Amino acid sequence: MRGGGGGNLSGNYRNPCLTMHQPWASLLVHGIKRIEGRSWPSPIRGRLWIHAASKVPDEATIKAMEDFYREIYAVNGITDLKFPEHYPISRLLGCIEVVGCVRGEELARWEMVPEGVRLEGQTDFCWLCEQPQKLLIPFEMRGYQRVYNLEKKIYEAAVRGLVSVEGPLPVKFPLPNPQDPFSLKPGSISVEFPKSKASDIEKSSSVSAAIAGARAAATQFTKKDENLSMVIMNSTPDTVRTDQSTSKSLKEDAMLDTNINERSSNDGTLVSNDKEQSFLPKCEASSSRNKTPAGVEHGGPHKAYDYGIWLERYVLLYGVA
């Protein structure tokens, strides 16, 4: 069973969400990015909501990542990529379906997927993503470390505002066992697809340069505290925060905010600041590419409970179903 119906097979996670830095968050929701790179395996299968962290991406970072995707899509003959016009921060953007998780070296040699996808596998663990959907109106919320549950009111409002996205080259990752959504896991490719023995992809100088640029863009999110990193990476789903997070956990989150360290994901998608605060003043002062589209940020939905009303008015005004 694939996760296309919005179902989720994720233990204690009800409506799991992941906070990501920009521009990686928007690239994933827009279907350009198909691999979410992490230093830890995915604890879920099915729908995963994507939230943009509060850090404003600089133009150099945006350019490095757009150049990276131009190059790896060109390997498959796609040269006309349309990137997001905006990279909003502190916003819930949409969702994707996590259908599997494999190691980077497995993905790099998996001949059953396009070469461009294999080139995305620049991290220890690669979360395989399909079926991106974006919100008509991204709306403000705070995020947390690792995978966490969306507040019920936010979920109920957001699920009404989703629209499907057709990426430049959508990928359907083959499951070893279609009846087992967790069958595509680290180590499974060599066992379940023994004939998949593709050699490493020969990289042109431009592709190599783009990969190097993407890696350099990711290093800005590397922190120094290895000990705290290990504590968090060894946490289990039982420790996931729910919408009833206590004040104590929020205080602990604030402490982790300055100490958390992930091994630098080469595609840059590291976890966000633990407690995402509203960042509208900084967003307005930043490049226009980081702003929410006109008419949305100002007077737009800033709380979950009014999002449904706001969405209905938006649909009536603009005729967007």
Side-chain angles (χ1 to χ4, degrees):
M1 179 184 72
R2 309 290 274 212
N8 191 271
L9 298 160
S10 39
N12 292 335
Y13 298 104
R14 295 185 304 278
N15 300 300
C17 184
L18 181 69
T19 294
M20 298 169 57
H21 289 297
Q22 289 286 32
W24 296 273
S26 286
L27 291 172
L28 184 60
V29 168
H30 281 75
I32 297 171
K33 178 173 157 61
R34 297 152 297 187
I35 302 298
E36 167 56 11
R38 294 277 151 173
S39 60
W40 37 282
S42 172
I44 71 161
R45 296 295 186 272
R47 176 175 286 172
L48 177 66
W49 291 88
I50 303 300
H51 171 259
S54 64
K55 180 177 174 61
V56 178
D58 56 49
E59 290 295 336
T61 298
I62 293 173
K63 182 180 184 303
M65 294 315 302
E66 290 184 352
D67 286 348
F68 170 73
Y69 281 102
R70 283 191 189 96
E71 289 293 335
I72 66 172
Y73 271 94
V75 171
N76 293 116
I78 297 175
T79 57
D80 184 23
L81 288 185
K82 291 180 173 58
F83 291 101
E85 294 182 6
H86 306 276
Y87 292 98
I89 58 171
S90 299
R91 296 292 189 274
L92 185 67
L93 302 180
C95 63
I96 49 87
E97 299 286 329
V98 178
V99 300
C101 176
V102 299
R103 288 197 171 271
E105 59 267 26
E106 294 179 274
L107 179 62
R109 300 175 67 85
W110 195 12
E111 64 179 5
M112 298 180 72
V113 297
E115 290 182 335
V117 176
R118 291 160 56 192
L119 286 169
E120 283 191 68
Q122 299 290 322
T123 51
D124 286 349
F125 294 96
C126 299
W127 301 15
L128 312 179
C129 304
E130 297 179 0
Q131 304 174 54
Q133 298 181 79
K134 66 179 181 179
L135 284 170
L136 282 171
I137 312 296
F139 62 98
E140 182 182 3
M141 61 168 272
R142 68 187 181 197
Y144 298 94
Q145 295 285 359
R146 294 178 70 91
V147 179
Y148 56 92
N149 285 324
L150 275 184
E151 182 180 344
K152 183 179 179 181
K153 289 183 178 179
I154 292 178
Y155 166 76
E156 291 175 347
V159 76
R160 299 171 57 194
L162 289 172
V163 292
S164 296
V165 175
E166 184 74 15
L169 183 62
V171 177
K172 204 75 170 175
F173 296 98
L175 294 182
N177 179 2
Q179 304 304 316
D180 178 8
F182 279 87
S183 60
L184 195 49
K185 58 188 177 182
S188 63
I189 292 179
S190 58
V191 175
E192 302 293 342
F193 302 106
K195 294 182 180 180
S196 184
K197 299 178 180 179
S199 59
D200 293 333
I201 301 172
E202 290 188 13
K203 305 179 185 70
S204 66
S205 59
S206 59
V207 169
S208 296
I211 291 173
R215 289 176 175 173
T219 60
Q220 63 185 292
F221 302 111
T222 303
K223 307 295 182 180
K224 296 180 179 180
D225 194 334
E226 287 288 343
N227 291 331
L228 276 175
S229 173
M230 293 306 298
V231 169
I232 290 183
M233 285 192 288
N234 289 332
S235 63
T236 66
D238 292 334
T239 65
V240 64
R241 294 182 191 85
T242 65
D243 44 336
Q244 287 83 31
S245 297
T246 64
S247 59
K248 178 180 178 181
S249 68
L250 292 178
K251 289 179 181 178
E252 291 170 348
D253 292 345
M255 293 175 63
L256 290 173
D257 180 48
T258 57
N259 291 306
I260 179 65
N261 170 46
E262 287 264 15
R263 196 179 317 174
S264 177
S265 294
N266 294 333
D267 66 351
T269 51
L270 302 188
V271 293
S272 72
N273 292 336
D274 219 340
K275 185 178 180 182
E276 292 295 334
Q277 300 293 343
S278 173
F279 222 98
L280 290 177
K282 187 170 182 180
C283 179
E284 292 172 357
S286 68
S287 164
S288 61
R289 301 196 67 183
N290 304 323
K291 292 183 181 179
T292 307
V296 174
E297 183 170 277
H298 299 286
H302 296 311
K303 294 182 180 179
Y305 60 77
D306 66 4
Y307 182 78
I309 298 174
W310 207 95
L311 177 62
E312 289 174 0
R313 292 176 179 173
Y314 183 89
V315 171
L316 288 174
L317 181 62
Y318 295 102
V320 180

